[in-house]
Amino acid sequence: MDVMPETQTLRPVSLEAKNPFELRVGLSAKVPESEVRAALASGDMGFLHSFTTGSTVDGPGIRVVAWTSGCMFRCQYCHNPDTWNMGNGIPVTFEKAAEELSKYRFGLKLMSGGFTLSGGEPLMQHRFAVKLFTAAQAMGIHTALDTNGYFGYRLTDEDLEKVDLVLLDIKAFDPERHRQVTGMDVDAVLRFAKRLSARRKPVWLRFVLVPGLTDDQYDIAKIAGFASGLGNIERVDVLPFHQMGRFKWKQLNLPYPLEDVEPPSQEVVQRVLAQFRAVGLKAV
Ligand code: SF4
C-alpha cells in the first residue's frame, strides 16, 4: 500500500517494508502539530514506520507486524533509532491500517499467527494501538503488543482485554543500570509487569544481551527472580545484540555508544539462558 499524506507533497512511500531496518525519516514532518495532537487523542490516525509480513519471532506463528514511530527510551543498543521520532513515521488513518490488516486475516488464521504492534514504542500512540487491536480481534486475529512497558498505565483493564499477548522488554533491573541503558527509570516497567501478572495476561519477556552493558550476571539473576515470581511468563526471549542498526546511527548523525561492541559469544548466551531456566522459566 502506498500512502500519500494529504498534508505532504513527498513522493509516496510504501507502508510495506521487507524488514524494519529500512531507514525512514521525516515522513510526517509536515503534519501540523495540532493534527498530531488530535490523532493521538482520538486514535483516528497513527504514525507507522512500516508494515512487515512473515515474522516468526514477534509472537506465536507467522505474524504481520506494524512498526510504530515514536519512543520515549533512548536505548544504547536500539537498532531502529529512526523510530524514536514520531515525525519519521508515515501518517496512516486507522481505517487504512485496519484495511491493510484485513488482507491477511485468513492467511494468519491458517498459519496460527497474528498481528503484532511493535516500534518504536506503540503505547506512545495508545489510542491508535487499542483501536487496531480491537479491529484485529474482531477479525479473529490474535493480537500481540511489543512494548517497553513504560506507558503501560495508559491502558485500561478493558484495553488490555484487546491484547492477547504482551511482549514485554525488561532492559535491566538495577535502576541505575536501566537509566544508563535506556535513559529512563525502570519502576514503571516493573509496575506494568506486576499488573499483567495480577491480570494473568500471557507475557513473553524479552531481554537484549549486550556485552559489557546488560550481561552482568547479578542483574540478570534479579530479572530472572522477578520474572519467575510473576507466574504469567510463558517464555523468555534472550536476544543477542547485533550491529544491524549501526548504519542508522551513522546516517542520523547520532553518536553511537556501541560502535565497537561485538555480539555476545555463544558461551555468554548459554550462560544467560541457563540463568532464566534455573528459575523454572522457558528461555529461548
Ligand atoms: S525501547 Fe525499543 S525502540 Fe525505544 S529506544 Fe529502546 S530499543 Fe529503541
Side-chain angles (χ1 to χ4, degrees):
M1 172 170 68
D2 283 346
V3 178
M4 173 64 87
E6 284 160 22
T7 44
Q8 282 188 274
T9 53
L10 297 171
R11 66 181 171 75
V13 174
S14 174
L15 188 56
E16 289 141 22
K18 286 197 184 74
N19 59 60
F21 293 106
E22 287 183 15
L23 180 75
R24 295 185 165 190
V25 292
L27 298 176
S28 57
K30 292 184 181 172
V31 178
E33 182 62 30
S34 57
E35 276 186 37
V36 174
R37 262 187 270 119
L40 293 178
S42 67
D44 290 343
M45 186 166 75
F47 299 88
L48 297 181
H49 176 278
S50 54
F51 255 85
T52 57
T53 56
S55 166
T56 55
V57 294
D58 297 297
I62 308 284
R63 317 292 296 183
V64 166
V65 184
W67 305 88
T68 58
S69 57
C71 186
M72 75 296 275
F73 279 16
R74 294 290 178 264
C75 299
Q76 290 193 27
Y77 54 68
C78 185
H79 51 242
N80 287 314
D82 52 335
T83 65
W84 289 353
N85 183 343
M86 205 175 292
N88 284 343
I90 302 171
V92 182
T93 62
F94 160 70
E95 285 77 14
K96 273 213 162 79
E99 183 189 310
E100 184 75 359
L101 194 52
S102 74
K103 287 190 205 164
Y104 304 103
R105 61 198 298 181
F106 299 114
L108 289 176
K109 267 184 248 175
L110 274 177
M111 294 180 290
S112 307
F115 169 61
T116 300
L117 196 59
S118 185
E121 171 47 53
L123 298 184
M124 293 282 283
Q125 313 177 42
H126 70 290
R127 294 194 195 283
F128 181 73
V130 170
K131 283 181 87 157
L132 259 186
F133 285 137
T134 305
Q137 278 191 345
M139 294 179 217
I141 297 174
H142 177 274
T143 59
L145 166 67
D146 180 13
T147 178
N148 63 34
Y150 194 81
F151 277 169
Y153 69 88
R154 287 184 166 188
L155 298 178
T156 64
D157 289 347
E158 198 184 332
D159 293 339
L160 273 177
E161 293 307 310
K162 309 299 177 193
V163 182
D164 296 314
L165 171 72
V166 177
L167 311 177
L168 179 66
D169 299 342
I170 297 189
K171 319 252 182 202
F173 198 82
D174 172 71
E176 220 16 76
R177 189 185 307 273
H178 193 273
R179 258 192 300 277
Q180 181 199 359
V181 174
T182 70
M184 301 291 276
D185 289 337
V186 72
D187 296 4
V189 179
L190 302 182
R191 265 199 305 278
F192 186 51
K194 287 180 191 163
R195 181 168 163 225
L196 294 172
S197 160
R199 298 193 61 75
R200 300 183 199 286
K201 180 65 63 183
V203 168
W204 289 11
L205 194 145
R206 298 182 130 186
F207 174 73
V208 180
L209 178 61
V210 189
L213 186 67
T214 67
D215 59 349
D216 179 80
Q217 61 174 314
Y218 300 106
D219 202 52
I220 293 169
K222 285 182 196 161
I223 297 175
F226 173 77
S228 73
L230 293 173
N232 62 330
I233 306 296
E234 291 188 346
R235 63 181 243 180
V236 179
D237 288 337
V238 174
L239 308 172
F241 168 72
H242 58 68
Q243 286 285 13
M244 287 172 73
R246 176 161 51 191
F247 82 99
K248 289 191 174 185
W249 288 76
K250 280 211 172 99
Q251 292 196 15
L252 294 169
N253 271 328
L254 294 167
Y256 182 38
L258 305 184
E259 177 74 40
D260 300 318
V261 175
E262 299 284 332
S265 66
Q266 259 314 305
E267 192 187 345
V268 173
V269 173
Q270 290 306 321
R271 186 209 85 206
V272 174
L273 287 169
Q275 284 192 266
F276 284 108
R277 288 171 186 156
V279 294
L281 295 167
K282 176 183 172 191
V284 293

